Amino acid sequence: MRKKLFLVLDNYKEKALKRKRDYNLPPRPLTESEVTVLIKGLMIEGLDQVDYMIFETEKVSQLIIRLLSEEVRRGTFPSSYLKAEGLAEIVKGQLKSPYLSAEAALSLLEDMKGGAAAVQLVNLLEEGVFINEIIEILRSTVLVNREEFDRLTKMSSKISEIKELIKSWAERCFAAGWKLPESYQGLCIKVGNNITTGHLSPSKHAGSRTDQPRHAQFIMEGREDEEDFLDRLDKLHNESEDIILVAGEALGEGSSRKSATYTVLQVLGKSVVGEPEKKQGGVVIAKSMAPIFQNSLIASGILPLIADTDGINEGDSLELDLNKKRLLVNGSNEIEIELPVEYKLNKIAAGGMTYFDAGNELQKWAVQYCKDNDIAITDENNKNMTTSNNRPKQTLAQKIVARNRLDGKRSILPGETAEVRIRGVYSQDTTGPMTIEEYQSMSGGKFGAEFVVQSLCHTGECPSSEERDRHRFIDQFITARGGVCLKPGEGIIHTIGNRFVLPIDVIVGGDSHTRTPRGLSFPAASDIVAGAMKYGKQDLTMDESVRVIFKGKPIKGITARDLVSTLVVFAEKTVGKAVYNGRIIEMEGLEFLDSDERYIMTNAVAERSASAGTIPSDEKTIEAIKNNLAYLKSRSDADSSLSVRDTIKTIEEYLEDPVLLRADEGAEYAATIEIPLDRVTEPLVAKPHHPDNVAFLSEVAGTELNEVFIGSCVGGDIESIRSAARIIEGHQVPHDINFVVGPASLDIYSKLAEDGTLTKLAAAGATIIMPGCGLCMGNKRRIGSGSTALTTTTRNYQSRIGPADSKTYLGSAHVAAMAAVLGRFPTVEEYFKMFK
């Protein structure tokens, strides 16, 4: 064993020194095999007489204890379980260590903050070991799963102290220290407008996102005016340990919310003692901020503020006073700030959602136990769990959310927070590993959501060996808990996931384009997604809605993709496009669109920085649901997967008595925008480098192109690709145009292959790729230096799908097909002549 121990230490040393040499970073957390050997190493005699050096010289016995104390993840990771089991054996005396007493081992269990440690603490109580000490540890522990809580209730008749423990949970004593400081101080590091999550977390380095310290070193890559960010940060750190990030407008738009948040934590936060690679805290101030990113910051315990930042410069001394809601710049210039609502401030005070949500859940169990056992409690802290018969007029979004409330109330108003049932959860492969880590950090067991769909659509094409290993791990983790893991090439997460959804559902997903054409869906960061997976519910603060009414019908040749851009055009003409920010867009008058086209519309609200989008359901929706039911029944896992099986049953029950909700007449909206479709007389596109940079086709006609891509969740649907094939049939794409087509799912691919569509496209010079995201994220496919591309994808931020000197336009599959044939944007006359 001694030889094995030193082999493990030597290998760890080699990895640690290499990481320090390559990246100037501390070593990665301990693996399961390393923890196993180190626990056994604690039993070897004489290690307190042997020196060992990694970065500094320590006694081997001290080194082992330090590594076990500081370099093992908390939660329910495999390494966490092994550490907790080994420590528990020392506490019980089953293992004897010359260096670690039972009391010291119990202290290390306490430092694990629940999760795997909670399992062992309950085991120790069952064996009657250190009862009073363990009860005291559990008083401040919230990462306790239902299984352990139920075991405690069974023991409460024998161990009377457990009743007092549960009462303390019901009275929320564990939250006594969850308080925000009244003030914050720090130096400003200033960044400009339109800093996207892709600048904070570059997509081409997506494979490193679970290695948070390493990934943070890529911050601002591709944003030329900010590429010296880390050098500037180092200089500021020479003057102060506390740095506050200050930004301009539109901070945090984009897909990579959680990994961007991890980066912010790494550059602003303080290290967490006893948890490797984790940091906590930090303040971010921006003139405006994408709501999903703001919620992600809150979920990670970062304080996000809105203020006029124009008068703040890099290096300024900032003092934040929460009580007075003001920011003092250099001791004199006073700026008003907008704080998150109190509920969200409480979440930040808890250190983020992991402990906050676990504490809320634990309190509910404890309150119910006390009621069932006639135990008086002084503070149930259930302010939101009230019912009322007073039902105000509701928008469609409010009706959907209210229908899923778990407190018995059947209405909800903007700004109101309620616990809401989340029937389904989406996860994709670039955020999935982070979601799984968050799930283990919050000690997740079985899935609480009715269905969980996990895709491999972002990295399925041309995966590295490391990514294929990650695919297997994700698949095993998700399917073992009853979820569905799609195979590489099976389909894009939204395309497949939307087939599980009903018009009365609330859905959460780990991609910013989690936008269902029915029901209501909220994209979220990985920890929020993990929480929805675990609990099957979520505390949701209702946003205001913006009503968009489409008047009339579009002329032939104007597609759903063109209508997407009218959201920008007509908002700018009336109330300003910022009206959508952080609100739900409720679209009416789109009965002429099919289910796929409606998804194109609801998907588009992501680019408007809206929290969600809705379209009223109708008989076309019912037909789509019937088709989805047939699809689910045809799946090979229809009988074996809990998620598929339960969804089939739920859809069948729904179809017996369908509910099609409508907004109430007289419901209140933040704004109402009318879009007269007879005034849309030519297609629209988005110019570089933002989806809101909308132009009419006549403004870009003749612009030459190098790359054309038809695909993604909003361009890879069956009719978009069929339309492209009809236009391109009989033509030949010029040799210097890279024309790529990617169907959104395998069943779409198969139908297109059967009807000859793919043959027509290939004959014209298209490259047909496997179903998936293709070019959309830019982490696999990229365009060349200096290239100009037209794509049907969702976003065209600078550096997203190519180098900083490349340009990306967004448009419909029809415009893209014509451009592929012509090597340039068509004129309006050419467009309507070629349209089929």
Side-chain angles (χ1 to χ4, degrees):
M1 185 61 216
R2 188 184 183 96
K3 183 177 179 181
K4 191 171 186 179
L5 169 65
F6 279 93
L7 179 61
V8 166
L9 290 177
D10 288 344
N11 288 338
Y12 180 81
K13 177 180 179 178
E14 184 179 341
K15 289 189 297 183
L17 293 175
K18 185 177 189 303
R19 188 167 169 86
K20 179 72 173 177
R21 182 174 62 250
D22 292 349
Y23 311 126
N24 195 30
L25 290 173
R28 298 301 318 274
L30 292 172
T31 65
E32 305 102 281
S33 58
E34 288 169 336
V35 171
T36 299
V37 172
L38 292 178
I39 289 287
K40 292 179 180 177
L42 285 172
M43 311 306 130
I44 300 172
E45 299 280 352
L47 296 181
D48 54 348
Q49 305 299 316
V50 181
D51 290 335
Y52 195 91
M53 187 182 77
I54 297 181
F55 299 119
E56 58 183 37
T57 300
E58 299 173 89
K59 299 298 182 185
V60 172
S61 56
Q62 294 172 333
L63 172 61
I64 294 173
I65 293 172
R66 180 179 65 79
L67 291 176
L68 289 172
S69 301
E70 300 175 5
E71 302 301 330
V72 182
R73 288 170 167 157
R74 292 171 178 164
T76 52
F77 295 89
S79 56
S80 314
Y81 279 116
L82 290 169
K83 174 181 173 178
E85 289 168 9
L87 292 173
E89 288 180 348
I90 295 173
V91 173
K92 288 184 289 187
Q94 292 179 346
L95 291 179
K96 299 287 186 181
S97 171
Y99 323 108
L100 195 66
S101 66
E103 291 79 5
L106 184 60
S107 179
L108 291 183
L109 273 175
E110 178 180 6
D111 291 342
M112 291 181 72
K113 306 294 184 185
V119 177
Q120 295 303 325
L121 290 170
V122 174
N123 288 344
L124 291 169
L125 278 180
E126 286 176 333
E127 297 191 26
V129 179
F130 289 104
I131 290 175
N132 291 330
E133 291 84 352
I134 291 173
I135 293 290
E136 195 57 35
I137 291 171
L138 289 174
R139 283 182 188 276
S140 58
T141 301
V142 295
L143 288 179
V144 177
N145 281 331
R146 185 75 205 206
E147 293 86 346
E148 281 63 61
F149 182 83
D150 289 343
R151 288 167 62 198
L152 286 168
T153 62
K154 290 177 182 177
M155 283 189 279
S156 62
S157 59
K158 296 180 181 178
I159 304 175
S160 60
E161 293 89 345
I162 290 178
K163 292 181 180 179
E164 285 300 315
L165 166 65
I166 296 175
K167 180 183 177 182
S168 79
W169 285 340
E171 293 176 341
R172 210 171 175 79
C173 295
F174 53 76
W178 292 359
K179 295 179 181 178
L180 286 176
E182 293 183 356
S183 63
Y184 294 80
Q185 295 82 32
L187 296 181
C188 161
I189 185 164
K190 181 77 178 286
V191 295
N193 297 326
N194 300 113
I195 299 294
T196 70
T197 57
H199 296 133
L200 299 170
S201 168
S203 60
K204 72 176 184 179
H205 298 293
S208 66
R209 283 175 174 168
T210 55
D211 184 349
Q212 296 174 26
R214 173 62 179 140
H215 190 70
Q217 293 183 333
F218 300 117
I219 186 171
M220 298 300 177
E221 188 173 300
R223 176 76 186 233
E224 293 178 346
D225 58 332
E226 300 286 357
E227 284 187 340
D228 62 345
F229 179 89
L230 291 177
D231 292 334
R232 289 153 45 204
L233 183 68
D234 285 343
K235 290 178 182 177
L236 289 170
H237 271 308
N238 290 333
E239 300 179 46
S240 174
E241 184 182 356
D242 298 308
I243 307 296
I244 295 175
L245 177 64
V246 178
E249 294 180 341
L251 175 66
E253 291 183 343
S255 306
S256 311
R257 305 146 309 281
K258 197 67 220 178
S259 53
T261 299
Y262 288 158
T263 294
V264 173
L265 277 171
Q266 289 294 322
V267 300
L268 298 183
K270 305 292 173 59
S271 296
V272 179
V273 177
E275 190 156 18
E277 299 187 342
K278 291 291 184 182
K279 291 191 175 182
Q280 62 185 5
V283 178
V284 175
I285 309 172
K287 199 168 184 179
S288 63
M289 196 178 302
I292 309 174
F293 182 57
Q294 187 175 36
N295 287 334
S296 178
L297 295 175
I298 291 166
S300 290
I302 299 171
L303 178 60
L305 304 171
I306 303 299
D308 184 351
T309 58
D310 287 347
I312 305 175
N313 298 307
E314 183 148 317
D316 283 349
S317 176
L318 306 180
E319 183 176 351
L320 173 66
D321 189 321
L322 294 189
N323 293 328
K324 295 181 179 179
K325 295 185 180 180
R326 72 173 190 183
L327 179 67
L328 205 59
V329 182
N330 296 325
S332 58
N333 183 22
E334 189 172 305
I335 299 174
E336 288 187 4
I337 58 172
E338 179 185 325
L339 293 170
V341 297
E342 183 181 0
Y343 181 84
K344 294 182 178 181
L345 288 175
N346 292 338
K347 186 176 291 189
I348 297 168
M353 66 163 290
T354 295
Y355 293 104
F356 185 76
D357 287 4
N360 288 345
E361 194 72 3
L362 182 61
Q363 183 193 15
K364 288 168 189 169
W365 301 337
V367 167
Q368 190 60 52
Y369 170 86
C370 290
K371 288 180 177 178
D372 293 343
N373 291 274
D374 296 321
I375 299 172
I377 51 179
T378 57
D379 178 19
E380 296 184 15
N381 200 30
N382 288 324
K383 296 177 182 177
N384 290 322
M385 298 184 69
T386 57
T387 60
S388 171
N389 294 322
N390 182 23
R391 185 185 178 279
K393 294 184 181 298
Q394 302 277 277
T395 72
L396 174 56
Q398 289 168 338
K399 281 191 173 182
I400 295 170
V401 171
R403 187 181 178 89
N404 287 279
R405 287 186 74 145
L406 297 175
D407 59 3
K409 192 175 178 182
R410 284 296 169 256
S411 65
I412 192 166
L413 292 175
E416 185 179 355
T417 298
E419 189 175 51
V420 174
R421 178 186 183 232
I422 306 297
R423 190 172 80 83
V425 178
Y426 300 172
S427 177
Q428 48 97 333
D429 40 332
T430 61
T431 60
M434 294 184 292
T435 299
I436 289 173
E437 286 199 355
E438 293 287 354
Y439 196 81
Q440 292 171 302
S441 292
M442 60 181 61
S443 306
K446 295 179 181 177
F447 290 147
E450 181 177 300
F451 73 82
V452 173
V453 182
Q454 167 73 52
S455 75
L456 302 176
C457 56
H458 287 62
T459 61
E461 189 183 9
C462 306
S464 64
S465 296
E466 181 184 7
E467 284 165 333
R468 281 300 296 136
D469 292 342
R470 191 177 296 124
H471 290 171
R472 282 195 291 269
F473 166 70
I474 292 172
D475 192 333
Q476 291 165 3
F477 188 93
I478 296 297
T479 55
R481 288 158 179 78
V484 176
C485 186
L486 307 178
K487 297 177 181 178
E490 189 174 350
I492 298 173
I493 182 59
H494 332 293
T495 303
I496 302 298
N498 288 349
R499 297 175 183 177
F500 287 67
V501 180
L502 292 172
I504 53 176
D505 287 340
V506 179
I507 304 299
V508 168
D511 190 292
S512 58
H513 294 103
T514 303
R515 316 282 180 158
T516 57
R518 66 197 74 89
L520 199 63
S521 54
F522 293 94
S526 296
D527 44 7
I528 299 172
V529 175
M533 282 180 175
K534 177 177 178 177
Y535 300 115
K537 56 186 178 181
Q538 187 177 89
D539 288 333
L540 187 150
T541 301
M542 192 70 206
D543 293 321
E544 292 181 304
S545 289
V546 174
R547 188 185 190 194
V548 178
I549 305 171
F550 290 86
K551 296 281 192 176
K553 288 187 178 181
I555 64 172
K556 183 180 179 181
I558 301 302
T559 69
R561 191 56 186 262
D562 300 312
L563 300 188
V564 162
S565 294
T566 66
L567 291 170
V568 179
V569 172
F570 286 91
E572 283 187 315
K573 288 180 178 180
T574 53
V575 293
K577 64 182 181 181
V579 70
Y580 300 129
N581 192 54
R583 295 187 170 112
I584 297 168
I585 305 178
E586 301 198 24
M587 291 171 274
E588 300 175 11
L590 295 173
E591 293 81 6
F592 54 86
L593 297 181
D594 64 26
S595 183
D596 287 340
E597 291 170 321
R598 293 180 191 187
Y599 174 63
I600 290 173
M601 297 303 298
T602 54
N603 178 288
V605 308
E607 276 58 68
R608 314 289 83 82
S609 289
S611 55
T614 69
I615 296 174
S617 294
D618 54 19
E619 289 305 316
K620 286 185 179 179
T621 309
I622 298 299
E623 288 306 308
I625 292 170
K626 290 177 180 177
N627 291 335
N628 293 339
L629 179 61
Y631 161 80
L632 291 169
K633 287 182 174 181
S634 72
R635 288 185 58 89
S636 60
D637 55 3
D639 296 323
S640 59
S641 168
L642 273 175
S643 288
V644 180
R645 197 165 69 227
D646 289 348
T647 297
I648 288 173
K649 181 181 177 183
T650 297
I651 292 178
E652 287 176 336
E653 291 172 352
Y654 172 83
L655 289 173
E656 290 175 4
D657 186 19
V659 176
L660 299 174
L661 300 173
R662 290 288 186 277
D664 290 331
E665 288 291 333
E668 292 187 9
Y669 299 87
T672 297
I673 300 169
E674 293 190 354
I675 299 178
L677 293 177
D678 60 356
R679 289 172 55 188
V680 183
T681 58
E682 60 178 286
L684 296 103
V685 299
K687 299 188 296 183
H689 294 290
H690 199 284
D692 279 356
N693 192 14
V694 172
F696 287 97
L697 178 60
S698 55
E699 297 175 56
V700 299
T703 302
E704 294 185 353
L705 300 163
N706 312 103
E707 311 254 3
V708 176
F709 175 74
I710 296 175
S712 87
C713 56
V714 291
D717 60 285
I718 195 163
E719 281 308 317
S720 289
I721 297 177
R722 280 175 175 164
S723 297
R726 287 194 294 269
I727 290 167
I728 211 166
E729 187 176 10
H731 296 281
Q732 191 66 38
V733 175
H735 179 75
D736 57 352
I737 299 294
N738 184 36
F739 179 39
V740 178
V741 177
S745 66
L746 180 59
D747 61 327
I748 292 174
Y749 185 103
S750 299
K751 290 174 184 175
L752 294 173
E754 289 170 7
D755 68 16
T757 298
L758 297 185
T759 301
K760 293 175 186 177
L761 290 165
T767 299
I768 313 298
I769 62 172
M770 70 180 287
C773 298
L775 187 66
C776 189
M777 184 180 169
N779 63 316
K780 285 296 169 187
R781 289 187 168 267
R782 305 278 292 174
I783 63 175
S785 300
S787 292
T788 301
L790 169 60
T791 85
T792 64
T793 58
T794 57
R795 291 180 173 138
N796 60 340
Y797 301 139
Q798 187 176 25
S799 302
R800 180 175 173 88
I801 64 169
D805 64 352
S806 64
K807 298 176 182 178
T808 304
Y809 292 79
L810 304 177
S812 70
H814 300 77
V815 174
M818 297 174 198
V821 170
L822 300 171
R824 56 171 172 80
F825 275 101
T827 64
V828 174
E829 184 181 8
E830 287 172 325
Y831 175 83
F832 283 109
K833 185 177 180 180
M834 296 177 73
F835 185 87
K836 294 180 182 180

